[in-house]
Structure formats: structure tokens, C-alpha cells
Amino acid sequence: GITRQTVFEMAKTLGIKIKEQRIFLEDLKTYESCFICGTSTEIKGVSLIDNNGKIIEFASDAITIILQREYAKLTGKIL
């Protein structure tokens, strides 16, 4: 919860639209960006999901990189 809420607030401040909803595997191809977030994961871009819904490749796109950098600044990992 806390990391997710922080990411949502940060995205809103940056003018990045975030939509949280239940999704279906076939919907993913219509998305501009996809990431997961959490306390230990922080923000991690997802670039490939198999047909069973398993994440099989992590890579950050431009939107995710912006969020990762801002989160790092917020948490003091980048000065």
C-alpha cells in the first residue's frame, strides 16, 4: 500500500496518468507502459508476460524510468 500510494501521488504530480484496475492478459497489448511496485521491488518495468500471465522479462520504458528516478530522489537514493 504505501509504495503504491506514493507512486500514484508522484505520477499525478508529474502528469502521468495511472489507472488501477483488474486487467486481462489480452488487454496488456493496448497499454503504453506496465510496471509493478512494492516495498522491496520499488518500481520495476515489465516488458514481457507469457500466455499464462507470468512475467518473464523485466525492462523499463521511458515512463517507468521517469517514475524510478523520481522515486529514487524521494527515497534519498539519488541526491
Side-chain angles (χ1 to χ4, degrees):
I2 294 172
T3 303
R4 187 186 83 230
Q5 187 61 39
T6 301
V7 171
F8 283 17
E9 290 171 6
M10 192 175 55
K12 184 177 180 181
T13 300
L14 294 168
I16 298 170
K17 182 181 176 184
I18 295 211
K19 189 174 187 180
E20 182 180 29
Q21 67 181 38
R22 185 179 185 115
I23 60 171
F24 297 96
L25 196 54
E26 58 270 10
D27 295 336
L28 290 174
K29 61 185 163 209
T30 66
Y31 294 165
E32 247 182 270
S33 183
C34 180
F35 65 87
I36 58 173
C37 64
T39 302
S40 61
T41 304
E42 294 186 350
I43 302 170
K44 193 162 193 156
V46 176
S47 62
L48 188 59
I49 299 174
D50 72 11
N51 289 332
N52 297 314
K54 181 180 176 189
I55 299 170
I56 56 175
E57 190 173 312
F58 292 98
S60 297
D61 64 357
I63 293 170
T64 306
I65 290 169
I66 290 167
L67 292 172
Q68 289 169 325
R69 286 184 182 155
E70 290 302 312
Y71 189 81
K73 288 179 192 175
L74 186 67
T75 59
K77 294 184 179 177
I78 294 179
L79 302 176

